[in-house]
Amino acid sequence: MKVKRNWEALLLFKKVVIAGVGLIGGSLGLALTERRLAAEVVGVDPNRDNLNLAVTMGAVHRAASLVEALPAADLFILATPVGVTLGVLEMAVPFLTPGTIITDVGSVKGRLVERAEKMLPAGVHFIGGHPMAGLEVSGVAGARGDLFQGASYILTPTKNFDPVALQKLKRLVKEMGAHPVELAAEQHDRLVAMISHLPHLLAATLVNTVAAEPSSDMLLQLAAGGFRDTTRIAAANANMWRDILLTNRDMVLKAVRQFRRQLAEMELAINNFDQTALVAVLERAREVRMSLAENRTYLNER
Amino acid sequence: MKVKRNWEALLLFKKVVIAGVGLIGGSLGLALTERRLAAEVVGVDPNRDNLNLAVTMGAVHRAASLVEALPAADLFILATPVGVTLGVLEMAVPFLTPGTIITDVGSVKGRLVERAEKMLPAGVHFIGGHPMAGLEVSGVAGARGDLFQGASYILTPTKNFDPVALQKLKRLVKEMGAHPVELAAEQHDRLVAMISHLPHLLAATLVNTVAAEPSSDMLLQLAAGGFRDTTRIAAANANMWRDILLTNRDMVLKAVRQFRRQLAEMELAINNFDQTALVAVLERAREVRMSLAENRTYLNER
């Protein structure tokens, strides 16, 4: 979707700081700069090459350290890997000034939200976020300003939320073409365990099942579209997913148990040559899958 | 890929009969007619509307009954649903004339190959086939002449195979842009259980896991690309997959057991917060998935 050229820039924010300018952080930066939602976007990242590329791409206007960037920022986006977000926030605390809104983009909220609220000074408001969009590539090189177009964007305000902060974030989400959805942090973690973490885990497990066979070379050579589609997300970054699955451990294990329950039902029907039970299970899956709305734009690689 | 216009048609066959003019049968018909590999392609199908459409689309030159079509056919393709193939072949036997090559396209060979050999008259040669290509649509309306382009096409000659018949089939496969792979019928069934049947079963099970949750409406609304990709093949025809999974029951159950073994390893690592084990499992899956050759054309539906 082409971004409309507004002759009046809609400056939602004066200074946005993005910590972690990877695929998501970079895409947020591009969305902000392309749609002129912020006067200034500053990138912070330990990887100097990544940061330089982000500047070159226009995902951020300039690079800086947390110390330099944070004072007087009106939005601070933690787009760091799930495992380091809390640590980066802790490092940031001394440099935060009142009026800053903070959000993250992590696939798991865990204890982040409650701990963030405890450590932040007065006048600084944290509201967790999670755009339901992504690609199997990582790094800013794959970033796109339209990544969030048509995507659901979860926000996890607590009972202590600041209404102005929430409103501004919801506005930002909409201006990026996404659809804000408010959920409690724990509800978020339970949901994403089902629709994101479990699928990733299953895709990886399927690949490993095939890889463990003596005939794996032949299997992979013959594998067609069905196998590829089902295992596409197994190509995702292993470190990132280790952190996600362990941070959301309880919800993920629960989702796996639910899956195993359904798998047992499927296995039983096949084992018993139970045509009726089997076709019922398959038809239910088909109907539900067909009901997934097709009218959203999905940015799938390939 | 555009089909080259050969001014000399490469007539591999004089008369080809296709029983079951659905997605695969229709695509074979289109490949034969578009590439002028057969002088005459005759369609046989119990569904009169489907057959009329096939003629209109040019997937077959004309429609007929088995009785009318089979005498003097040099190729007879059984593109019937897996559960009825043997029955259709039995019905066909009285009308077959020597010199006919017979093949099928079924996702499971089961006992088809050995029974076919026993029931066929002298001079009629059966070699099982299975193009590793397809879409989630069914019916001739979705058929495409280039469906097999770049696909592996499995042939399952037995120790009694007729060399001329095999050569002609391999030639046909190549002329349709596919790559012939020879496997024993049982080896075929074991392999497809892993790379086709297991993925379908898992995709359906994942959908049902989400559908069984009280929050399923919200889950499905928030589900993004990863869930969609992993569950795409769950939209396939339930009756067809009931027949496939039951016909290949033993191999499918074995594949499920292997999968459960891998799943247990994944679960254990998460349960024990074992970072090292978990990242090893995820990295192995990533490497193997990345190694899947990207240079083939895949016709994925959307």
Side-chain angles (χ1 to χ4, degrees):
Chain A
M1 185 186 119
K2 287 180 87 67
V3 175
K4 291 186 292 215
R5 297 287 294 174
N6 296 318
W7 292 108
E8 280 170 43
L10 174 68
L11 293 179
L12 283 180
F13 301 99
K14 288 195 299 296
K15 178 160 82 163
V16 177
V17 176
I18 302 176
V21 192
L23 175 73
I24 301 296
S27 297
L28 286 166
L30 284 170
L32 287 161
T33 56
E34 283 171 8
R35 294 161 204 245
R36 300 212 222 139
L37 300 167
E40 193 185 19
V41 180
V42 185
V44 178
D45 198 297
N47 184 320
R48 177 48 59 174
D49 292 334
N50 200 55
L51 208 38
N52 288 341
L53 181 53
V55 174
T56 306
M57 284 173 65
V60 301
H61 293 121
R62 62 180 182 92
S65 66
L66 280 182
V67 181
E68 296 173 281
L70 286 175
D74 41 354
L75 176 64
F76 175 31
I77 301 175
L78 289 153
T80 40
V82 156
V84 310
T85 302
L86 208 45
V88 172
L89 185 56
E90 283 169 349
M91 282 197 289
V93 163
F95 313 113
L96 297 166
T97 50
T100 307
I101 296 168
I102 311 182
T103 189
D104 77 313
V105 300
S107 306
V108 194
K109 296 294 152 241
R111 299 216 181 286
L112 173 65
V113 173
E114 65 175 270
R115 285 190 184 163
E117 285 194 341
K118 290 203 178 90
M119 75 173 65
L120 294 175
V124 177
H125 307 290
F126 180 95
I127 296 179
H130 179 200
M132 299 298 289
L135 303 169
E136 274 66 68
V137 295
S138 47
V140 70
R144 320 171 43 145
D146 59 354
L147 187 69
F148 312 104
Q149 190 65 41
S152 296
Y153 199 120
I154 300 172
L155 296 168
T156 61
T158 66
K159 59 187 184 336
N160 305 320
F161 81 102
D162 178 79
V164 173
L166 183 60
Q167 272 311 110
K168 286 196 87 172
L169 283 176
K170 285 167 76 171
R171 184 75 192 277
L172 171 62
V173 164
K174 289 177 192 167
E175 289 295 331
M176 295 193 298
H179 171 68
V181 177
E182 290 168 54
L183 296 175
E186 191 186 293
Q187 193 186 9
H188 163 272
D189 287 355
R190 210 179 322 118
L191 289 176
V192 295
M194 274 280 167
I195 56 174
S196 175
H197 306 166
L198 179 62
H200 270 84
L201 183 160
L202 293 175
T205 304
L206 175 55
V207 173
N208 286 336
T209 304
V210 167
E213 290 289 298
S215 56
S216 61
D217 284 349
M218 168 90 72
L219 287 168
L220 293 165
Q221 185 201 317
L222 293 174
F227 181 83
R228 285 169 165 265
D229 280 354
T230 315
T231 58
R232 178 158 294 122
I233 54 181
N237 185 280
N239 291 320
M240 179 172 98
W241 279 93
R242 172 203 58 209
D243 290 345
I244 291 170
L245 294 174
L246 289 181
T247 306
N248 204 19
R249 170 190 180 272
D250 294 354
M251 304 297 189
V252 169
L253 289 176
K254 183 160 185 255
V256 171
R257 279 195 299 273
Q258 301 293 87
F259 178 84
R260 275 200 281 104
R261 202 162 293 158
Q262 295 289 327
L263 184 61
E265 192 181 331
M266 173 86 75
E267 251 184 304
L268 194 70
I270 296 171
N271 189 65
N272 296 346
F273 284 108
D274 191 336
Q275 291 203 30
T276 316
L278 183 56
V279 77
V281 161
L282 293 169
E283 188 54 48
R284 181 164 82 239
R286 179 182 140 84
E287 277 174 22
V288 172
R289 180 56 179 80
M290 295 285 281
S291 78
L292 279 192
E294 293 302 340
N295 58 353
R296 286 180 285 181
T297 307
Y298 278 94
L299 303 170
N300 285 323
E301 79 309 325
R302 187 105 12 159
Chain B
M1 181 185 119
K2 289 182 86 68
V3 175
K4 289 187 292 221
R5 298 286 297 175
N6 294 323
W7 290 110
E8 281 170 43
L10 174 68
L11 293 177
L12 280 181
F13 299 100
K14 288 195 297 297
K15 179 161 82 163
V16 177
V17 176
I18 302 177
V21 192
L23 175 74
I24 302 296
S27 297
L28 285 167
L30 284 169
L32 286 162
T33 55
E34 283 171 10
R35 293 161 204 247
R36 300 212 222 139
L37 298 168
E40 191 184 18
V41 181
V42 184
V44 178
D45 197 297
N47 185 321
R48 178 49 56 176
D49 293 332
N50 199 54
L51 208 36
N52 289 342
L53 181 53
V55 175
T56 308
M57 285 173 63
V60 301
H61 293 121
R62 61 181 182 93
S65 65
L66 279 182
V67 181
E68 296 173 281
L70 286 175
D74 41 356
L75 176 64
F76 174 30
I77 302 175
L78 290 153
T80 41
V82 155
V84 308
T85 303
L86 208 44
V88 172
L89 185 56
E90 281 168 351
M91 283 197 289
V93 163
F95 314 112
L96 296 166
T97 50
T100 307
I101 297 169
I102 310 181
T103 189
D104 77 313
V105 300
S107 305
V108 193
K109 294 297 152 242
R111 297 212 180 289
L112 172 66
V113 173
E114 66 176 270
R115 286 189 183 163
E117 285 194 341
K118 289 201 179 93
M119 73 173 66
L120 294 175
V124 175
H125 307 291
F126 181 95
I127 296 179
H130 179 200
M132 300 297 289
L135 303 168
E136 273 65 67
V137 295
S138 47
V140 70
R144 319 172 43 143
D146 59 354
L147 185 70
F148 313 103
Q149 189 65 40
S152 296
Y153 200 120
I154 298 172
L155 296 168
T156 61
T158 66
K159 59 185 184 336
N160 306 320
F161 82 100
D162 178 78
V164 172
L166 183 61
Q167 271 312 109
K168 286 196 86 171
L169 283 175
K170 286 168 74 172
R171 182 75 191 278
L172 171 62
V173 163
K174 290 177 193 167
E175 290 296 331
M176 295 193 297
H179 171 69
V181 176
E182 291 168 54
L183 297 175
E186 192 186 292
Q187 193 185 8
H188 163 272
D189 288 355
R190 211 179 321 119
L191 288 175
V192 295
M194 274 283 168
I195 56 174
S196 175
H197 305 168
L198 179 62
H200 270 85
L201 183 160
L202 294 175
T205 305
L206 174 55
V207 174
N208 286 337
T209 304
V210 167
E213 290 288 298
S215 57
S216 60
D217 285 350
M218 167 91 73
L219 287 167
L220 293 164
Q221 185 201 317
L222 293 174
F227 182 84
R228 286 170 166 261
D229 278 354
T230 314
T231 59
R232 176 155 297 122
I233 55 181
N237 185 283
N239 291 320
M240 180 173 97
W241 279 93
R242 170 204 60 207
D243 289 345
I244 290 170
L245 295 175
L246 289 180
T247 307
N248 204 19
R249 171 191 179 271
D250 293 353
M251 304 299 190
V252 168
L253 290 176
K254 184 162 181 252
V256 172
R257 279 195 298 273
Q258 300 294 86
F259 177 84
R260 278 200 280 104
R261 202 162 293 158
Q262 294 291 327
L263 183 61
E265 191 181 331
M266 173 84 75
E267 253 185 299
L268 195 70
I270 297 171
N271 188 68
N272 295 347
F273 284 110
D274 190 337
Q275 292 202 31
T276 315
L278 183 56
V279 78
V281 161
L282 293 169
E283 188 55 46
R284 182 164 79 240
R286 179 182 139 84
E287 275 174 22
V288 172
R289 181 55 179 81
M290 295 285 281
S291 78
L292 279 192
E294 294 305 341
N295 59 353
R296 285 180 286 177
T297 308
Y298 279 94
L299 303 173
N300 285 322
E301 79 314 320
R302 177 127 351 222

